[in-house]
Amino acid sequence: MFEFIKRYALKKHLTEHSVARDRQVFSLRNAKTIGILAEITDEDSYKEIFAVFSKLQTISKVQMVGYIDEKSVPFYCLDQLAADYFCKKDLNWYGKPEMVQVNDFIDTDFDILIDFTRRNLPPIQYMLTLSKAKFIAGGNKENQEYYDLIIEGTDSHKKLFENIYVYTQKLIGE
């Protein structure tokens, strides 16, 4: 019952504060700014998403926010200038992230925002709803209402990244 009340309060907050985005289509090659949302479940998932993050940094200016569905951020998640991590203790009672870095990420006007999460996570949905990104892509069916492009059937972050790279180029005719 309490979980239902928390989800209702978060949904109500999002409805009242939703953002009208300036939607545009970008390819990863021509995007000047890229945002990454990811769930870090273990050290292997951290390494996999960090490899994609590092590759994107060679193409464009990239900023990443990782969510850890635990009480604390593990030791292997190293905060960097362009990569921040948050966990359950950084959420208010109904699941809204309460971190300056998360608010800055939401307010950034990314050309492309890529969601690498694989399940329903209210803090990530909060960020997707309020994001000012021009183009949002991802592979999570739970979040497809927030996406401009959904890529289904990807089992790894690297494969999702490769598919987004290919399909965004096709969308703009490169």
Side-chain angles (χ1 to χ4, degrees), residues 101-112:
Q101 295 91 333
V102 171
N103 292 331
D104 290 345
F105 186 88
I106 291 169
D107 290 336
T108 303
D109 189 15
F110 295 111
D111 290 339
I112 298 178

Side-chain angles (χ1 to χ4, degrees), residues 12-173:
K12 184 173 175 15
H13 176 79
L14 292 175
T15 303
E16 292 170 356
H17 296 91
S18 64
V19 174
R21 294 187 299 125
D22 177 26
R23 294 177 187 218
Q24 298 175 24
V25 178
F26 284 89
S27 73
L28 286 174
R29 261 191 4 203
N30 69 8
K32 291 181 178 76
T33 56
I34 299 171
I36 295 176
L37 284 174
E39 178 188 18
I40 309 299
T41 54
D42 56 19
E43 195 166 357
D44 290 337
S45 71
Y46 169 78
K47 288 177 181 176
E48 188 178 0
I49 196 67
F50 199 79
V52 172
F53 173 71
S54 298
K55 184 169 182 137
L56 281 171
Q57 283 185 312
T58 64
I59 300 170
S60 181
K61 180 182 175 192
V62 183
Q63 188 174 349
M64 178 175 77
V65 170
Y67 175 66
I68 296 93
D69 200 22
E70 302 286 331
K71 290 186 180 188
S72 63
V73 176
F75 68 93
Y76 52 80
C77 292
L78 304 172
D79 279 337
Q80 299 178 5
L81 190 58
D84 294 299
Y85 305 93
F86 70 105
C87 59
K88 286 183 177 181
K89 75 174 182 174
D90 299 313
L91 306 176
N92 71 4
W93 70 272
Y94 60 84
K96 175 186 168 195
E98 296 282 328
M99 275 183 65
V100 172
Q101 295 91 333
V102 171
N103 292 331
D104 290 345
F105 186 88
I106 291 169
D107 290 336
T108 303
D109 189 15
F110 295 111
D111 290 339
I112 298 178
L113 175 61
I114 303 172
D115 175 22
F116 284 102
T117 62
R118 294 192 173 122
R119 60 190 184 113
N120 182 4
L121 297 164
I124 298 297
Q125 290 175 339
Y126 172 86
M127 295 175 73
L128 289 168
T129 302
L130 298 180
S131 174
K132 294 182 174 118
K134 294 179 183 95
F135 188 76
I136 301 176
N140 183 348
K141 287 183 182 180
E142 300 284 341
N143 294 339
Q144 73 183 28
E145 69 184 272
Y146 309 108
Y147 297 157
D148 300 311
L149 173 67
I150 184 165
I151 306 290
E152 293 184 14
T154 55
D155 55 348
S156 74
H157 296 110
K158 183 180 178 189
K159 186 72 174 164
L160 177 60
F161 166 70
E162 290 168 354
N163 286 338
I164 289 172
Y165 187 85
V166 169
Y167 285 107
T168 56
Q169 283 188 265
K170 288 181 180 181
L171 283 174
I172 64 168

